[in-house]
Structure formats: structure tokens, C-alpha cells
Amino acid sequence: MSIQFGPEYVRAIAPYQGGKPIAEVAREFGLDEAKIIKLASNENPLGMPESARLAMQQAVADIGRYPDANGFDLKAAITAKYDVPAEWITLGNGSNDILELAAHAFVQPGQAVMYSQYSFLVYALAAQAIGARAIVVKAKDYGHDLEAMAQAITDDTRLIFIANPNNPTGTFIPAAELEAFLGRVPPQVVVVLDEAYNEYLPAELQYDAIAWVRQYPNLLVSRTMSKAYGLAGLRIGFGIAQPAVTDLLNRIRQPFNVNSLAQAAAVAALNDKEFLQRSAQINAEGYRQFTQTFDELGLEYVPSFGNFVLVKVGDDEAAGARVNLALLKQGIIVRPVANYGLPQWLRITIGLPHENAAFIEALKKLLA
Ligand SMILES: *Cc1c(COP(=O)(O)O)cnc(C)c1O
């Protein structure tokens, strides 16, 4: 008998399946890398902001040295933008890092972590990795059912993950509902409000989560530079919470968890309003392009508030896999979501107009 290493709860973890890298699809299907279109990982189709590229080029000169473990300049930029003290900020190697740190910091093995059905897979992974018990609350219209979540809180619940907007479904919880929910969560339960797609929200839906952080010592707001800011490859995100929460996160994070190029690029990107605006605009245009097509084709989709759309491509359990494979053969990478329990659906990241058009053309041919 071979030796089994590690605890059972670690062995039970299913590996995270990300969007297929372009080079891998080129190899597998014998395609030209330059012609492949990737609409699979909710990356910014504009790539990185020029301001971030310049900042990184300057920071490269110092790469022989360790990064600033306290991220002074980046925290100063966040402080200026969001009007929170530096002591309220945790920098992360992607916001994924913040999510995992929260699980490690606030939950013991056997205690409960809560999240919604069809919410970000990393929540399940973070809970499993620490041997926590998961409370998965059934979704309502593919989004969070906050009433059911409030009622499902147990004595041993220590952490609740909420994504707003949610990935992979794109649903959005209006501010008033979220605020009412926060008021119902017991004070010993930490709520992670994961706002990875916040920058795509139109002005009329924006809300002041930082004001809630001031009001609720158990609230941790998480933001990423991977989506609208176009820095996914650098791995940089941050959390904002009062010191009682932030102190613990900072104690268990790796001292140099955010590299110096990422810190420099993030400072530049945070202040690049023009880039953010352009990203949101191109996203809104692409969303119309997609949803008009889905309406024409009579395909069901979930109205999205992020930079992607979840669309139902067939009625049988193999529909998502089948359409995905057919698209891959034509060099178009999208995201199957069977691992989220949505085998009839695909998640399509909104790209540049010509990328969206290529996807639309391929989809129309496939479904004809
Ligand atoms: C993409 C995403 C993240 C995190 O991405 P990082 O690159 O790790 O910052 C977090 N939450 C949700 C819901 C996401 O979709």
C-alpha cells in the first residue's frame, strides 16, 4: 500500500481549473498562437495600462533587492484614493491571497465557512485547505440569497464570503440589501466582501463599502488589480478592514508577498482614471454586443455586472463541454463552468470588439 500524505481534507481538494493558457491551446490543437482569442479568465482585453508599464520599467532597476514588505508607496496610494489609514490595508499576492489569508486567520479546522452556490470557487478551496466545514447556501436566480444566508449562520460560523458582483454568474446585490445583511451578521463572524469587479459598476450602482468598513469591525473588503486595472499577471490585490482584522492578516501573510514590480505598477494603475474609464466603456460596449446576439439566438444568459457573461448553450448536461471543445478547435478559449455545477453554460469574458465578433461568428455557426 502506498503512503498517503497529509490530512484527508487536503487530499479531498479538487485542483482549481483556470482558463486554458493560449500557448497550451496552440500546442494541443496545432493552432497559431497569434490567432487565438482568449475570453476565459476575465482579464482586461486592453492589457496593462501604459502608466503601469513605465512604472515597472523604472522599478526593474532595483529588482536585486527585496520588495518593501510594508508596501509604503502602494498603501499611500490606496490611502489617498479610499481615505482609509494605512493600518487598515493588507496587500495580497492577488486578492486570492487575501481570501486565503482570511480563512487561515479567522477559522479553525471544523468551524464553518459560508458562501453561496455558484460563487467564486476559491472560497471552497480556501475553506477546504484549512479543514473547515463549508456551508453552501443555495443560490437565488444564480446570485446570493442573503436572506437564506443570514438564516444559515451557525454558532460555529466564522467567515462568510460574498462576491459582488459575483463570478461566474455576474449577479449583483444592491447596496441596501447588502447593508441590511451586514447588520444581521453576528460580530464574531468575519464577512469578506469580494469586489473584484467593482470598477465595472455604473455610477448609479456604486456604493460606499469603505463607509461600512468604518461601521463594521468584522467587514473585510477585498479588491483586485487583476480585472479592470489590467494587471492579472503581476498578482496584486488588497484588503481593507479595521485594525483588529488587518493585524491578523498581516501577521500570517508572507513578509514579501507582493513583489516590487507589482507594487510599482499598482501605484501607477490606481491613479490612471483614464484607463479605468476606457476599460469600463469597452466592457459596456462588448456586453451589448454579446447580449444582443444571445437575444437574437434565443439563448438564455444571466444579466451581468462584471466583464463576462454566463450563457446557456444547450439543454443537455454535455452542452457546455461540447460547445467549448468546438470553440477551442477554432482557437477561441472560453470558460466551461461544469465544475461550478453549471454544465449547460459557458462563461465568456468580454473582449475587444473584434474578439467578441469572432466568438459570436463561431457560436452562430456552431448552433446553426
Ligand atoms: C478574479 C477574481 C478574484 C481574484 O483575482 P486575483 O487575480 O487573485 O486578484 C477574486 N474574486 C473574484 C470573484 C474573482 O472573479
Side-chain angles (χ1 to χ4, degrees):
M1 209 181 82
S2 63
I3 303 170
Q4 291 202 306
F5 296 102
E8 167 53 30
Y9 59 80
V10 172
R11 279 186 266 126
I13 296 174
Y16 180 82
Q17 293 176 339
K20 270 180 182 286
I22 288 174
E24 189 181 312
V25 172
R27 276 195 306 273
E28 254 179 57
F29 295 88
L31 299 167
D32 176 359
E33 264 190 49
K35 294 204 179 114
I36 290 177
I37 290 172
K38 187 180 176 206
L39 304 174
S41 298
N42 299 347
E43 294 145 340
N44 192 322
L46 295 171
M48 71 178 136
E50 194 53 31
S51 56
R53 182 199 300 276
L54 292 173
M56 275 190 283
Q57 278 165 355
Q58 290 187 338
V60 160
D62 256 341
I63 210 77
R65 301 203 180 277
Y66 278 102
D68 176 357
N70 292 315
F72 182 85
D73 290 338
L74 178 51
K75 284 186 184 174
I78 296 168
T79 289
K81 185 161 180 162
Y82 296 102
D83 191 25
V84 290
E87 299 73 43
W88 290 32
I89 301 165
T90 311
L91 301 182
N93 192 260
S95 62
N96 197 132
D97 195 15
I98 302 293
L99 307 176
E100 280 183 23
L101 289 172
H104 282 277
F106 306 119
V107 190
Q108 284 178 18
Q111 290 179 327
V113 172
M114 181 186 294
Y115 48 86
S116 172
Q117 179 190 24
Y118 308 140
S119 65
F120 194 36
L121 264 187
V122 166
Y123 308 155
L125 288 175
Q128 276 184 301
I130 56 164
R133 185 168 64 84
I135 300 176
V136 186
V137 177
K138 203 164 173 295
K140 188 168 125 193
D141 301 330
Y142 298 99
H144 294 71
D145 183 345
L146 291 185
E147 178 58 38
M149 289 180 81
Q151 285 178 20
I153 296 171
T154 54
D155 285 347
D156 68 347
T157 301
R158 287 295 175 276
L159 186 63
I160 300 176
F161 286 112
I162 292 178
N164 202 39
N166 184 44
N167 172 23
T169 62
T171 53
F172 175 72
I173 308 164
E177 283 175 42
L178 251 182
E179 193 172 11
F181 176 78
L182 291 173
R184 291 175 69 179
V185 176
Q188 75 279 11
V189 181
V190 173
V191 177
V192 175
L193 180 57
D194 177 354
E195 299 189 319
Y197 301 95
N198 172 273
E199 295 81 8
Y200 291 107
L201 291 175
E204 68 272 17
L205 293 182
Q206 292 278 354
Y207 53 90
D208 188 359
I210 306 304
W212 297 341
V213 171
R214 289 194 193 92
Q215 188 181 349
Y216 294 104
N218 60 334
L219 177 62
L220 167 61
V221 169
S222 152
R223 293 288 187 93
T224 182
M225 308 293 294
S226 299
K227 307 285 161 58
Y229 288 105
L231 300 177
L234 279 176
R235 314 304 305 126
I236 168 81
F238 55 91
I240 299 178
Q242 290 191 28
V245 160
T246 300
D247 276 354
L248 290 191
L249 299 176
N250 274 308
R251 273 186 235 181
I252 61 169
R253 73 178 170 86
Q254 288 181 41
F256 303 108
N257 63 334
V258 179
N259 72 73
S260 24
L261 298 189
Q263 292 189 32
V267 171
L270 268 181
N271 292 310
D272 197 334
K273 282 193 192 134
E274 196 265 338
F275 182 82
L276 261 197
Q277 262 168 14
R278 201 146 43 93
S279 302
Q281 190 193 335
I282 211 156
N283 190 62
E285 287 165 13
Y287 182 72
R288 282 193 292 275
Q289 217 178 339
F290 278 169
T291 53
Q292 272 169 15
T293 304
F294 299 155
D295 286 336
E296 269 172 45
L297 296 174
L299 295 179
E300 188 184 344
Y301 60 91
V302 181
S304 174
F305 295 83
N307 64 344
F308 55 89
V309 188
L310 187 71
V311 59
K312 192 173 181 189
V313 292
D315 291 321
D316 61 290
E317 296 288 295
R322 187 175 58 243
V323 174
N324 178 57
L325 181 64
L327 288 169
L328 279 177
K329 286 180 181 162
Q330 298 180 59
I332 297 173
I333 317 175
V334 300
R335 179 68 72 89
V337 282
N339 54 342
Y340 280 91
L342 296 162
Q344 304 162 329
W345 301 73
L346 291 173
R347 190 195 69 193
I348 324 294
T349 300
I350 296 167
L352 298 172
H354 77 273
E355 297 173 321
N356 302 336
F359 163 76
I360 287 168
E361 195 189 311
L363 184 71
K364 280 184 172 168
K365 258 196 256 162
L366 280 175
L367 299 179

